[in-house]
Amino acid sequence: MNFSNLKRTLRLPVTLNWIFGGVFVSVLFSILKFFDTEGLEKVSYFELTLLVVLNITAALPLNYQLARGKWNLQRWMKFSFYCWYVPMLLCNAWLTVQVPDFLVVMITTLYAGYLASFGVMERRYFIFGALIYAFALFVFYFTGIAGTSPVRLSDRTLVIFFIVFLVTVLLYFYWMSEASGFLKTQTSTVQKLLRESRKDKRKLSEERRTIEELMAQLNKSFHIIKKDLSTAKRIQKSMLPSGYEEFSELKIRAEYIPKDEVGGDFYDVTRTGPGTYRLFLADATGHGVQGALITMAIKVAYEFVKQSGKRPGEILEILNDDFISKFRSLNLYYTCILADLDLNKGVLRYSSAGHPEQILLHDSEFMLLHKTGRMIGLSPASIYKDRIQKLVPGDRLFLFSDGLFEELNSRKEFYGEERLQALIRENLGRSAKEIVDLVLEDLRDFTKENNFQDDLTVLSIQIPDTIR
């Protein structure tokens, strides 16, 4: 006998029910007998011990075959009926005859029916068991085989009690047979569901293999895309100016943080002559690959005009016409600001195409550079005006994309222009680089673990302490 199968057998609910059921009845009758309960004189401890032994010797071998998978449920039912259920019915009939106390008799009878609901599932076994039980009671009552005085048909009261009791038992077993029919139906339903479940499991297994194959293909495609994006990132990075040693008279700080591998912001700093510089910052609609493609188109168009002697507003009109002629059907737009610094004259001339209000700290005063026209790509009739602002040594100019103040925290609150402007107002005495560091630190504290929701660009320029 395999120990693991034996262990599994003892864990079966039906095994424990048989053993503990027999122990319960034996212990109950033993306690009643020990206290000299009337009517238990003829019940011996040997008979009660035999009941427990019968349960154990039937439960272990029968349920062991079920636990090890040697028998199917039908075969197990058949052997359980003849090897355990019928002997139990006879034992209970024997005790019923031995004990005239009605309460104890009913406990014994209910025990027989209770075990039946666990031991047998088919209706025919209930009906057959009821007939065996009724026949055994009739024989034990009217023949005296059980060692009790036989009931005579002339004993009217006892005969009527026996008939009522027998009818009650038959009705009870009939009800149990109906219950078994329901259980059998449910069992069949469960078995059908299990069969369907196995089919579904096989189907799911096939679908899983298909999904795994698709995932492998997707991973392969993902690695290719990731490699391409990495290349695109390097290309976009090379488009942006780096190293400002040639602009030694200006203190420049540039920070570009794309949301994805590539982004939709573009900026440029160009020296147009001795002491003159042109600054450009554009923010395309969307981000990621779409935004990066638009910025490439912006850069190409801007490269043709950035060294021209035209004023900022005229250049924005040229960029607007060019962008509309190429991309009007795609409904693409971008905002930008173009600013010319003339250190010789101490003048800032700028034009803004729908770009957020930029910031100039002029002579320790806080000033906003307002937009002067509509976004690029909206209308071919757009006109962009210039605005001029005097500069003094130490002035600081801050250009940024809207990703700076449209970042969200965990409560879905925007960082906001008011918070940005308030932070800069509180630090008017600091250098342009220090203010940028403070703003970025404050932004990270505000968003905490949230990733940035948009591309972010900050460009700061500090005017030298001496202007020609």
Side-chain angles (χ1 to χ4, degrees):
M1 183 177 287
N2 187 283
F3 179 74
S4 62
N5 287 332
L6 179 61
K7 195 174 179 181
R8 196 178 297 115
T9 302
L10 292 173
R11 288 179 178 174
L12 287 176
V14 68
T15 304
L16 297 176
N17 179 72
W18 288 5
I19 294 174
F20 290 137
V23 170
F24 169 75
V25 173
S26 297
V27 170
L28 175 64
F29 274 67
S30 298
I31 293 173
L32 294 173
K33 182 173 175 61
F34 179 78
F35 287 102
D36 297 325
T37 302
E38 184 180 354
L40 290 177
E41 298 86 0
K42 296 181 179 180
V43 177
S44 66
Y45 288 111
F46 173 76
E47 292 171 333
L48 297 176
T49 304
L50 186 63
L51 182 65
V52 177
V53 173
L54 178 62
N55 272 278
I56 295 174
T57 54
L60 291 180
L62 289 172
N63 296 327
Y64 179 82
Q65 300 298 329
L66 182 65
R68 68 185 291 216
K70 191 74 174 178
W71 289 353
N72 58 24
L73 190 59
Q74 287 73 22
R75 188 174 184 184
W76 176 81
M77 286 182 190
K78 183 177 181 181
F79 276 90
S80 296
F81 179 77
Y82 291 109
C83 298
W84 173 79
Y85 190 58
V86 170
M88 285 304 303
L89 289 174
L90 295 175
C91 284
N92 277 275
W94 179 277
L95 289 174
T96 302
V97 174
Q98 294 284 333
V99 183
D101 187 278
F102 182 76
L103 178 61
V104 178
V105 171
M106 284 307 298
I107 290 175
T108 308
T109 306
L110 287 174
Y111 164 64
Y114 179 72
L115 288 179
S117 65
F118 284 88
V120 182
M121 290 292 183
E122 293 190 9
R123 186 173 181 179
R124 58 193 175 100
Y125 290 133
F126 282 105
I127 297 174
F128 191 28
L131 294 175
I132 292 175
Y133 191 60
F135 180 74
L137 286 175
F138 180 82
V139 171
F140 292 158
Y141 264 108
F142 289 95
T143 62
I145 293 177
T148 58
S149 301
V151 175
R152 305 299 177 186
L153 293 177
S154 58
D155 297 333
R156 183 180 176 184
T157 303
L158 291 176
V159 170
I160 291 174
F161 167 77
F162 174 76
I163 293 173
V164 171
F165 175 69
L166 201 60
V167 170
T168 303
V169 169
L170 290 174
L171 288 174
Y172 178 75
F173 271 75
Y174 175 76
W175 176 81
M176 290 299 297
S177 70
E178 290 294 324
S180 73
F182 172 75
L183 290 173
K184 185 179 179 182
T185 302
Q186 296 302 308
T187 302
S188 300
T189 303
V190 170
Q191 289 175 344
K192 182 180 178 181
L193 290 173
L194 287 173
R195 287 193 298 270
E196 293 176 354
S197 176
R198 283 192 290 269
K199 291 180 182 178
D200 292 340
K201 188 176 181 180
R202 287 194 295 270
K203 186 177 179 181
L204 285 173
S205 179
E206 294 173 358
E207 291 178 351
R208 181 181 177 183
R209 284 195 296 270
T210 303
I211 291 172
E212 288 175 349
E213 293 173 359
L214 290 174
M215 285 298 295
Q217 296 175 8
L218 286 174
N219 285 332
K220 184 177 179 181
S221 300
F222 172 75
H223 288 306
I224 295 173
I225 292 171
K226 189 175 181 180
K227 183 179 178 181
D228 291 344
L229 283 174
S230 179
T231 303
K233 182 179 182 179
R234 291 195 299 271
I235 293 173
Q236 188 176 47
K237 188 176 181 180
S238 67
M239 291 167 47
L240 302 174
S242 61
Y244 300 101
E245 294 79 5
E246 57 178 315
F247 310 143
S248 57
E249 55 191 336
L250 291 179
K251 294 180 180 178
I252 301 175
R253 167 74 188 280
E255 191 74 39
Y256 174 54
I257 306 174
K259 176 183 180 295
D260 303 310
E261 292 289 327
V262 290
D265 288 357
F266 170 74
Y267 68 91
D268 184 76
V269 181
T270 305
R271 175 181 282 173
T272 56
T276 60
Y277 298 87
R278 176 158 283 169
L279 315 173
F280 182 66
L281 175 60
D283 183 2
T285 53
H287 40 75
V289 176
Q290 174 188 320
L293 291 174
I294 298 175
T295 60
M296 293 190 70
I298 296 171
K299 177 177 172 58
V300 170
Y302 179 68
E303 286 294 327
F304 282 105
V305 295
K306 72 178 184 179
Q307 289 290 358
S308 69
K310 298 181 182 298
R311 62 180 178 81
E314 290 175 330
I315 292 177
L316 293 189
E317 289 174 3
I318 294 171
L319 293 177
N320 182 59
D321 292 338
D322 179 74
F323 194 78
I324 288 177
S325 66
K326 293 178 179 177
F327 305 108
R328 186 168 192 171
S329 61
L330 299 178
N331 293 323
L332 298 177
Y333 317 97
Y334 68 92
T335 67
C336 65
I337 182 170
L338 181 62
D340 286 345
L341 283 178
D342 190 337
L343 300 182
N344 302 314
K345 299 178 180 178
V347 172
L348 169 68
R349 179 190 291 268
Y350 77 93
S351 185
S352 174
H355 207 65
E357 296 175 330
Q358 307 294 278
I359 297 174
L360 173 65
L361 300 183
H362 172 62
D363 199 15
S364 297
E365 292 184 6
F366 186 93
M367 299 181 63
L368 295 176
L369 305 182
H370 301 283
K371 62 188 72 173
T372 62
R374 292 182 290 186
M375 287 193 297
I376 300 294
L378 278 179
S379 170
S382 296
I383 297 175
Y384 301 93
K385 297 179 181 180
D386 288 350
R387 290 188 180 175
I388 300 174
Q389 176 65 44
K390 278 295 277 186
L391 295 176
V392 297
D395 281 359
R396 286 141 294 166
L397 175 64
F398 297 93
L399 306 180
F400 45 85
S401 61
D402 60 9
L404 180 61
F405 50 79
E406 289 187 354
E407 299 299 339
L408 297 168
N409 63 11
S410 58
R411 297 189 297 274
K412 303 301 180 183
E413 298 170 339
F414 286 105
Y415 183 77
E417 293 178 87
E418 292 182 2
R419 178 167 178 152
L420 172 64
Q421 294 173 9
L423 181 63
I424 295 178
R425 287 177 191 273
E426 293 170 2
N427 295 276
L428 293 177
R430 295 179 180 268
S431 68
K433 181 181 181 301
E434 289 174 335
I435 291 178
V436 170
D437 290 336
L438 283 173
V439 168
L440 292 178
E441 183 181 354
D442 187 58
L443 182 63
R444 290 190 177 96
D445 288 340
F446 177 78
T447 57
K448 296 190 184 301
E449 300 300 325
N450 284 7
N451 294 323
F452 289 158
Q453 304 299 309
D454 197 1
D455 304 320
L456 185 154
T457 301
V458 182
L459 186 63
S460 70
I461 300 94
Q462 184 156 345
I463 307 303
D465 294 333
T466 59
I467 296 180
R468 299 172 189 176

